[in-house]
Amino acid sequence: MFEHKRIQQLEDFFLELSQRRSREVYFYRINCYTEEIGKFIRNYYEAARMAGVIIEGKISNPDEKNLSYYSEIMGMGFQMSPGFFSESLKRWLPRMNSRQRENVSSSMYDALERMVKAGKNENMLKNAYIKFMCWLYYRFERIVNSLGEEKIPKILYEGNVSSYELMILSILSNAGCDVVLLQYHGDQEYQKVDPGLVFSYEWKAADGKSFPKQYSLKKLREEIQAAWKKERLYGQKPEVSGCTNAWIEGKGLEDVQTAIAARGNDPKFFYNCYCRISGVWDKLTYVNDLFLFQQEIKNSKRNVVIADGPIPKPTMEEIGAIRRRNYNSQDQMIQDLSMNIQYAASPQLQRVMVKAFVDVMLMEAKKSDENLNRLTNKGVYLLCWLKRYQSQLFLNWRMPEVGCFLYLGCCQDDSEAMFFRFLARLPIDVVVFNPNLNRQCSLEDGLLYEIHYPDSLEVSQYPRENGDVQMGTAAYHAERELDTLMYQDSGIYRNRQYAKANAVTLKTMYEEIRLLWKEELKYRPNFSTVDDAVNMPVIFAKVSGVKEGQVSPYWASVKELITEDTFIIRSAPFLQPTTANPMKTYAAEFFKNGRLLREKIKAHPQYPYGYLREEVQEHMLDKLQLLIQQKMIRGTFENGTEYGIIALVLHLPKEIVRLLQRFDFTKKNPKLIYIHTTETMISLEDSILTAYLNLVGFDILFLVPTGYRNVEKYFNKELMEEHQIGDYMYDLQVPNLAHPPAGTRQRWRDKILKRGT
């Protein structure tokens, strides 16, 4: 347990455990008042409010509901032993660690042992024990898991303490907690419950006087609240402010590397740099220069955060950790959100953060299109990002130290730009690198210093380690420039230039199908590229009947459609519910809250597509999500059909997967021809397959001589167009439609004989 020691000055209460002379805590009574004591009480009140317990008046005895709940959870058993107390605390207050439980149980045993020596019977001991347990849960649960930690929790008690209250305060103090008793009317009442003055010390001041009339914690709280209102949104203003860019020489990286002491010496300022460097100074050395730059910054013992754009959005857990409520006004919202900014290690820095937050929020509020709800969301994002990076940027921070935030990429998000404006008003150097001049950075700020270079370079990641440094030769960069000239907005496309694509189903005349079927996608109507994605015009059609009832020309026309990239289904159904599929067992694990769990899918040992190119895998999973999300298949989100969809897509035939692997979104796309000549119904699985392949970019053609209804039975909406071309015919036999092997040429003798037939 902890020892009770005397303090040398009131400020000793605010020393952390490692700064104290020994494993000690402080338990004091204050019976008089001075300005110094008043200042101490105010500061101690704040400390207890932040990480402790404030008691105004008596600690209420457990009521019937409290006792009933205790009995339900713990029973009414009692044993006078530290082991029993420790086991009970483990169930009752599970957030306590073993050391804290040991200290509290030992201290509680000592307190009850004193009652035994005072002649108290076992029933009285049991009642006292249950009272202590209820108080620990209902009144002190906030601090029990921080007892004895580096930042000692505080208890502030106002009034005359009772015997049992003194016992519980002593128990907590022995376990690692500071306690201050405010006794406005002197020590007489206290000495009745502690006649030997063994539990606490009295703080005596040479010039101490009686407490002012009407002095109370309630009044102190009102004064603090009035001061907050007086300071309005900023609260207590910081004593230091930023001197941003006024000291720089416009040398970019050299400015950032300038030693902090060489930037300026006015103690009222921290000297930081805020700049954006667009373009690159040398294509051959740029990446290596960035690597050496961040190494130099780290070697100077500065705190550094490196981020690649875009900055990941706050997670639901991060957003949930921000305290907020409904607001009626902008000022109310800003003031309340700013209360989330806490930095106990440095109140000065905390005030700088709050002021920067308020400044940036007010700037953002001036935008004409900002409503209260949107502004609140931006404020929450700002606070989430601050909490995410705060510990890295300000580890062991002291004035006039300045951290460093390096960002590689193009800022295209208002919230992200707002975050940079916020960081630049803190003791942080903020440097935005935008080497690709084809990307326009949207960050605007009056404080921002701009540096421009003429050359452009695509760099996807900031080089953090030696393995990240990849430098191109002069020939390599020349080729990239040629690529830009040839393949940007020219209608000419590099092999697999695009990693993302969206299918757009064409509505056509029947005769157009044959004309478009073998055309490259880039030559089809409505082809386009937008935001690094291809819009692919694809065919998804059903052809019913046989033209003029002529079977041989019908099959000949079908054979003409078959290419090297055509997958043919000759009879229905192709896939059945009974078809073996090992992914059915795992499908439910891969989908939650309407979203595919992509990382879990890819990490699963049965995942079948790990050998495909990464962009192909992402394309396939994108369209799987889309197929489910748009509820194209009947039963989706109604009877578990979504899990069947997942299982089927994760177990496609090998031939189809190979067609996807070699598919280039700007060139010829793969095909599926489904021939259905009988009354046998097409399966749900076949419907899922064709709907999915339509989304990934296949041309799909259903040939139905019978005119029967087939695949559309399982579609929620009209996905394909139907063409009626002639008479319905039944039980036709499908001939051999195999495409000749690639590279096979027709012999000249065959060509002549064919002409003569």
Side-chain angles (χ1 to χ4, degrees):
M1 293 188 293
F2 286 75
E3 297 180 87
H4 285 188
K5 295 289 186 178
R6 290 186 180 273
I7 59 174
Q8 302 298 315
Q9 55 186 356
L10 288 171
E11 292 303 307
D12 289 349
F13 268 97
F14 304 111
L15 294 174
E16 295 186 349
L17 182 60
S18 61
Q19 298 172 313
R20 301 188 179 189
R21 292 161 296 180
S22 62
R23 188 175 167 82
E24 62 190 44
V25 292
Y26 310 129
F27 192 157
Y28 268 79
R29 311 183 307 279
I30 297 180
N31 301 317
C32 62
Y33 183 84
T34 64
E35 288 189 8
E36 180 190 7
I37 289 174
K39 181 180 178 181
F40 165 76
I41 293 173
R42 188 186 188 100
N43 292 338
Y44 192 87
Y45 177 93
E46 281 296 302
R49 185 179 68 85
M50 296 299 298
V53 175
I54 299 170
I55 301 169
E56 300 178 48
K58 297 292 183 182
I59 306 176
S60 301
N61 283 322
D63 58 24
E64 291 184 7
K65 290 183 179 179
N66 300 154
L67 294 172
S68 176
Y69 180 70
Y70 174 83
S71 175
E72 178 184 345
I73 300 300
M74 303 296 295
M76 298 303 286
F78 173 73
Q79 295 178 25
M80 182 61 179
S81 74
F84 173 78
F85 298 159
S86 181
E87 285 301 313
S88 298
L89 288 169
K90 190 173 183 179
R91 281 194 296 150
W92 186 237
L93 294 165
R95 292 206 303 158
M96 296 174 69
N97 61 38
S98 58
R99 174 177 51 80
Q100 291 162 343
R101 286 195 300 273
E102 181 181 350
N103 288 339
V104 172
S105 59
S106 297
S107 183
M108 189 183 299
Y109 180 83
D110 290 347
L112 295 179
E113 184 68 22
R114 286 192 294 271
M115 291 181 64
V116 172
K117 293 178 180 179
K120 307 299 183 182
N121 60 39
E122 184 174 348
N123 192 52
M124 297 174 73
L125 297 179
K126 177 181 178 181
N127 290 339
Y129 163 75
I130 293 174
K131 177 180 289 191
F132 294 157
M133 292 290 277
C134 287
W135 277 348
L136 288 173
Y137 184 87
Y138 290 107
R139 200 66 182 87
F140 297 102
E141 197 274 341
R142 184 186 183 197
I143 63 170
V144 292
N145 69 317
S146 57
L147 293 171
E149 298 295 328
E150 176 68 7
K151 187 174 178 62
I152 300 291
K154 315 292 184 192
I155 296 177
L156 180 59
Y157 184 101
E158 176 187 61
N160 296 320
V161 68
S162 69
S163 175
Y164 283 105
E165 287 175 327
L166 182 59
M167 290 172 70
I168 191 64
L169 295 178
S170 178
I171 289 169
L172 289 166
S173 181
N174 293 337
C177 180
D178 291 333
V179 181
V180 170
L181 304 180
L182 295 181
Q183 301 182 149
Y184 303 143
H185 305 294
D187 223 19
Q188 293 180 353
E189 293 298 319
Y190 177 83
Q191 293 182 21
K192 293 179 181 178
V193 296
D194 183 17
L197 301 180
V198 297
F199 291 108
S200 65
Y201 298 109
E202 180 184 6
W203 177 255
K204 296 182 179 180
D207 55 347
K209 302 176 183 178
S210 299
F211 275 89
K213 195 174 182 180
Q214 307 300 325
Y215 186 94
S216 67
L217 292 181
K218 179 181 178 182
K219 186 177 180 182
L220 175 62
R221 184 168 62 254
E222 291 172 351
E223 289 175 358
I224 293 173
Q225 291 173 346
W228 288 343
K229 291 180 180 178
K230 184 178 180 180
E231 291 292 334
R232 295 182 65 234
L233 300 177
Y234 289 110
Q236 184 179 354
K237 292 186 179 179
E239 297 173 3
V240 297
S241 58
C243 177
T244 304
N245 289 345
W247 53 274
I248 67 174
E249 299 180 9
K251 296 181 179 180
L253 301 188
E254 291 183 35
D255 289 328
V256 181
Q257 290 174 305
T258 302
I260 304 303
R263 298 181 176 189
N265 55 15
D266 191 329
K268 294 183 295 184
F269 294 106
F270 55 82
Y271 296 85
N272 69 320
C273 176
Y274 178 30
C275 69
R276 173 170 54 206
I277 303 176
S278 300
V280 301
W281 48 86
D282 189 325
K283 290 182 179 180
L284 298 181
T285 66
Y286 180 79
V287 174
N288 191 53
D289 289 343
L290 292 190
F291 172 68
L292 296 175
F293 168 69
Q294 61 92 16
Q295 271 195 326
E296 185 69 27
I297 296 295
K298 290 179 178 177
N299 291 339
S300 66
K301 307 302 181 184
R302 293 173 60 188
N303 296 325
V304 182
V305 167
I306 301 175
D308 300 307
I311 296 176
K313 299 295 185 190
T315 64
M316 294 305 297
E317 290 77 13
E318 288 176 318
I319 293 173
I322 303 300
R323 182 188 60 79
R324 60 194 185 279
R325 52 196 176 91
N326 294 325
Y327 303 111
N328 298 318
S329 69
Q330 172 187 295
D331 287 357
Q332 180 194 32
M333 177 270 293
I334 294 175
Q335 185 176 30
D336 186 64
L337 285 184
S338 69
M339 299 299 292
N340 286 277
I341 301 176
Q342 301 294 331
Y343 197 75
S346 174
Q348 181 71 272
L349 179 58
Q350 179 176 315
R351 290 193 284 270
V352 172
M353 290 178 179
V354 171
K355 184 177 186 303
F357 177 78
V358 173
D359 285 341
V360 171
M361 290 292 287
L362 290 176
M363 282 192 291
E364 199 70 18
K366 291 180 181 179
K367 294 183 178 180
S368 59
D369 61 340
E370 285 298 336
N371 59 43
L372 185 58
N373 186 57
R374 189 183 298 114
L375 189 62
T376 301
N377 292 338
K378 287 187 175 182
V380 170
Y381 267 42
L382 204 59
L383 294 169
C384 289
W385 281 327
L386 172 62
K387 285 193 173 187
R388 182 188 298 173
Y389 299 113
Q390 176 176 293
S391 60
Q392 300 174 62
L393 288 169
F394 302 114
L395 180 65
N396 300 321
W397 181 87
R398 295 289 184 273
M399 270 291 290
E401 294 174 1
V402 173
C404 194
F405 190 94
L406 307 178
Y407 177 86
L408 179 74
C410 176
C411 179
Q412 295 181 327
D413 181 87
D414 285 345
S415 295
E416 195 172 77
M418 187 176 170
F419 180 55
F420 293 143
R421 289 193 287 271
F422 170 68
L423 289 178
R425 285 153 177 82
L426 303 178
I428 301 171
D429 286 340
V430 179
V431 186
V432 177
F433 296 96
N434 183 28
N436 189 347
L437 295 177
N438 295 317
R439 298 173 183 264
Q440 186 66 35
C441 184
S442 63
L443 173 61
E444 295 181 0
D445 193 345
L447 288 180
L448 183 65
Y449 184 80
E450 297 271 11
I451 299 176
H452 296 276
Y453 291 99
D455 290 331
S456 180
L457 185 66
E458 179 67 41
V459 183
S460 60
Q461 187 176 17
Y462 195 100
R464 294 165 173 81
E465 305 294 341
N466 282 322
D468 295 333
V469 182
Q470 297 180 347
M471 295 190 297
T473 64
Y476 171 84
H477 291 298
E479 184 182 38
R480 295 282 75 76
E481 288 181 1
L482 183 61
D483 280 355
T484 301
L485 293 173
M486 289 185 62
Y487 302 127
Q488 186 170 335
D489 301 325
S490 66
I492 304 173
Y493 301 98
R494 189 172 58 247
N495 286 338
R496 296 183 172 84
Q497 180 173 341
Y498 294 93
K500 294 185 176 182
N502 303 303
V504 179
T505 301
L506 291 172
K507 286 187 174 293
T508 68
M509 299 289 290
Y510 167 68
E511 290 74 15
E512 289 181 290
I513 293 177
R514 191 171 305 280
L515 297 174
L516 296 172
W517 189 257
K518 296 182 182 181
E519 287 279 4
E520 292 188 5
L521 293 173
K522 62 187 177 185
Y523 298 131
R524 291 183 177 181
N526 301 305
F527 173 87
S528 64
T529 58
V530 180
D531 296 332
D532 295 326
V534 178
N535 292 321
M536 306 177 294
V538 298
I539 296 168
F540 193 11
K542 174 181 177 181
V543 178
S544 296
V546 176
K547 190 173 184 179
E548 298 176 354
Q550 298 183 15
V551 175
S552 294
Y554 177 77
W555 292 123
S557 67
V558 172
K559 192 165 186 176
E560 289 176 2
L561 295 175
I562 297 171
T563 69
E564 294 179 10
D565 293 328
T566 302
F567 187 82
I568 305 172
I569 298 176
R570 298 165 55 91
S571 62
F574 174 61
L575 299 174
Q576 301 188 50
T578 56
T579 302
N581 185 345
M583 302 309 294
K584 289 181 180 179
T585 307
Y586 312 109
E589 302 175 19
F590 299 152
F591 195 72
K592 186 176 182 181
N593 298 329
R595 304 296 299 175
L596 279 180
L597 305 181
R598 296 188 181 216
E599 296 307 315
K600 189 169 186 177
I601 292 173
K602 289 184 175 183
H604 198 277
Q606 296 297 321
Y607 176 59
Y609 304 138
Y611 59 86
L612 298 177
R613 301 194 323 272
E614 185 66 29
E615 61 266 27
V616 175
Q617 296 181 51
E618 287 299 313
H619 181 63
M620 293 175 70
L621 293 176
D622 283 343
K623 303 316 173 189
L624 173 56
Q625 174 72 53
L626 185 62
L627 179 61
I628 298 172
Q629 186 177 313
Q630 294 193 352
K631 301 180 183 179
M632 294 181 178
I633 305 298
R634 288 184 182 172
T636 304
F637 298 123
E638 294 176 4
N639 55 19
T641 298
E642 60 272 19
Y643 301 116
I645 294 172
I646 294 170
L648 188 147
V649 171
L650 293 179
H651 190 64
L652 294 174
K654 183 186 296 185
E655 296 87 345
I656 289 178
V657 176
R658 287 177 174 176
L659 291 175
L660 283 170
Q661 167 70 4
R662 67 172 183 247
F663 179 23
D664 188 332
F665 299 143
T666 64
K667 299 182 179 179
K668 291 184 179 181
N669 58 329
K671 325 287 183 184
L672 171 68
I673 295 178
Y674 197 126
I675 304 172
H676 187 200
T677 62
T678 67
E679 288 80 6
T680 305
M681 285 302 297
I682 288 180
S683 65
L684 169 63
E685 288 71 21
D686 285 358
S687 300
I688 294 171
L689 176 67
T690 53
Y692 176 71
L693 294 182
N694 167 247
L695 291 177
V696 296
F698 272 61
D699 283 338
I700 299 174
L701 193 61
F702 280 92
L703 299 175
V704 189
T706 62
Y708 288 147
R709 180 169 178 258
N710 50 22
V711 69
E712 57 265 47
K713 172 183 177 181
Y714 296 105
F715 291 161
N716 263 330
K717 54 185 177 181
E718 184 178 331
L719 299 180
M720 61 182 181
E721 190 174 20
E722 182 174 7
H723 301 279
Q724 299 285 345
I725 66 167
D727 301 333
Y728 294 156
M729 303 191 71
Y730 307 99
D731 300 319
L732 295 184
Q733 297 299 310
V734 182
N736 181 15
L737 300 172
H739 188 274
T744 301
R745 294 186 177 180
Q746 192 174 22
R747 291 180 299 174
W748 65 271
R749 188 185 313 145
D750 294 336
K751 291 182 181 179
I752 294 174
L753 291 173
K754 184 176 180 181
R755 287 178 186 170
T757 58

